[in-house]
Amino acid sequence: MTDTVQPLTDLLKDAPSNWGKWGPDDEVGSLNYLGPEQVIAAAGLIRSGKVFPIQRLICDPKGDPVWPSRKPAVRTQIMDEATWDGDDAPQFPGGLHYADDKIECFLQGSTQYDALGHVWYDDKLWNGFDARSTVGGMEKASVQPIADRGVVGRAVLLDMARYRGKDYLESAETYTHEDLMACAREQGVELRKRDILLIRTNYLQKFFEVGDAFYENFCEPGLVYSHELVQWFADMEIPNLVTDTIANEVTTDPNNGAALVLHNALMRNLGVAFTEIVELEDLASDCADDGVYEVFYAAAPLKVAQGSGSPVNPIVIK
Ligand code: UVW
C-alpha cells in the first residue's frame, strides 16, 4: 500500500471518456449500448425458465451490510391488528382491517443502482454536468433516467471466489480485467461486447460471520484501477457493472491511495452503471451445477426524482 495519495485529477487525466458520445444532455451513459438488438439476443438465453431475483433482503434480521457512513434501513409498523385494540381505532365500512408499514433507508443502503452523477471529482459529473447541480437533489444524471429506461441485456456471471478457490475474497484483495477474462475462460463462457458483468466475491459473508468487526479497517475486495482496465471497459462497451460487494471495487486503491477510483473512471467518465450489494449465492451454485454462466438480466431501479441512487431487485433468468 502506498503512503502518498494521488489526486484523481492527476491519476485520471488521460483516462478514456465517453462524455458527449450520446449528446450533451445524456444521463444514462453506457446503458445506451443496450438497445433492442441486445434485448432480443438476451431473451434467447432463457432456456430452463429458472428465475433468480438477486436483491439482498432489506431489514434482514441478521443485519444489513452498508457503506460505513450509512445506516441500515429501519422498518416501522404503522398499522396492524393491534391498531383495533383501542376504542379510537379507525373504522371502515364492512369491518376492514389492514397492515401498513414504512421504511426509512438510504437509497444506497441495500441492493441499488447508483445514479451516474452519484460520484465526481474536479467539479464535474458524468457528461460534464456541473457538480453544483447536485446541491439539494440531483438536477442532472440522477437515478430517474435509469429507472425510466430500465436495463435489459446479456449478463455473464464471473465467479471470482470460486475461480480463486475461496469461500469469499479477502479484505482488500484485488482483481483485474485480465483476471475476469481468465475466470470466464475457466468457466467456459465467452465475454462479449456489451455484456453486463455480474461479479461474485461472496465478501459479504464475512459481515454475517464477524458482525461489527466487518467495518474495522474497511477495505472491500474488488476490481483495481489501471489505464488498461478502463480502456478494456471502454472497448468492450460494458454497460453495467454488478457485484455482490457494497461498492463494486477495492475501496482504497493500493497503488495510488485514492478511494473509489473506478467509480470515477468507469461511472463518471465512461457512464458505466453501477449495481451493488446483489445476492449471487443461489445463482452461482446453479451456474456451478449446470455450467451455464450466460444469463438474461433485467432490472429497473425505483423512480426517485433527483435521487442519487435507488433500491432494485434485478431478475436473472436462465
Ligand atoms: C459510495 O459511492 C460512497 O458508495 P456506493 O457506490 O457504494 O453507493
Side-chain angles (χ1 to χ4, degrees), residues 53-60 62-66 109-112 202-208 243-246 276-281 311-314:
I54 59 169
Q55 183 214 325
R56 184 170 275 288
L57 186 63
I58 296 177
C59 296
D60 187 333
K62 299 198 288 300
D64 292 356
V66 290
S110 60
T111 307
Q112 100 260 355
N202 195 27
Y203 181 64
L204 295 184
Q205 184 180 315
K206 183 172 176 183
F207 168 84
F208 295 101
T243 88
D244 61 358
T245 63
I246 295 171
E276 297 162 328
I277 325 188
V278 295
E279 167 64 69
L280 294 174
E281 293 314 288
V312 65
N313 185 4

Side-chain angles (χ1 to χ4, degrees), residues 77-292:
Q77 196 70 35
I78 305 298
M79 305 279 277
D80 53 29
E81 182 55 20
T83 306
W84 281 271
D85 290 347
D87 294 336
D88 57 350
Q91 299 301 328
F92 297 93
L96 169 77
H97 290 187
Y98 59 91
D100 249 2
D101 47 7
K102 64 174 184 177
I103 57 171
E104 184 176 4
C105 67
F106 276 81
L107 287 172
Q108 283 144 335
S110 60
T111 307
Q112 100 260 355
Y113 266 82
D114 283 348
L116 286 192
H118 165 53
V119 295
W120 62 89
Y121 62 94
D122 203 22
D123 302 333
K124 292 267 187 281
L125 319 177
W126 158 247
N127 220 13
F129 296 127
D130 190 331
R132 300 300 300 177
S133 65
T134 63
V135 175
M138 304 202 61
E139 290 294 336
K140 295 288 183 188
S142 78
V143 78
Q144 193 193 332
I146 297 178
D148 285 341
R149 84 182 294 289
V151 182
V152 177
R154 176 187 193 255
V156 170
L157 176 74
L158 296 163
D159 191 340
M160 286 304 298
R162 208 172 245 103
Y163 172 65
R164 291 208 167 152
K166 297 179 173 182
D167 267 0
Y168 53 85
L169 298 193
E170 287 144 40
S171 300
E173 183 171 348
T174 59
Y175 51 89
T176 67
H177 61 299
E178 305 276 355
D179 295 316
L180 297 182
M181 289 190 278
C183 174
R185 269 196 302 278
E186 181 155 300
Q187 291 177 179
V189 63
E190 188 192 350
L191 275 178
R192 299 188 191 144
K193 269 189 154 182
R194 304 195 175 190
D195 275 346
I196 295 164
L197 302 182
L198 290 182
I199 304 178
R200 171 178 178 263
T201 67
N202 195 27
Y203 181 64
L204 295 184
Q205 184 180 315
K206 183 172 176 183
F207 168 84
F208 295 101
E209 286 178 4
V210 304
D212 284 348
F214 175 77
Y215 294 108
E216 284 165 20
N217 302 316
F218 181 79
C219 190
E220 290 195 295
L223 282 169
V224 63
Y225 169 79
S226 69
H227 184 87
E228 294 71 24
L229 176 139
V230 180
Q231 191 61 57
W232 183 80
F233 268 78
D235 295 344
M236 289 291 287
E237 302 182 343
I238 302 297
N240 194 175
L241 173 65
V242 183
T243 88
D244 61 358
T245 63
I246 295 171
N248 273 10
E249 62 174 304
V250 68
T251 312
T252 309
D253 190 315
N255 304 315
N256 51 57
L260 301 189
V261 178
L262 292 176
H263 273 62
N264 287 287
L266 299 181
M267 188 197 299
R268 173 194 182 269
N269 293 351
L270 292 184
V272 176
F274 273 33
T275 314
E276 297 162 328
I277 325 188
V278 295
E279 167 64 69
L280 294 174
E281 293 314 288
D282 288 349
L283 176 64
S285 347
D286 192 81
C287 294
D289 285 349
D290 68 8
V292 175

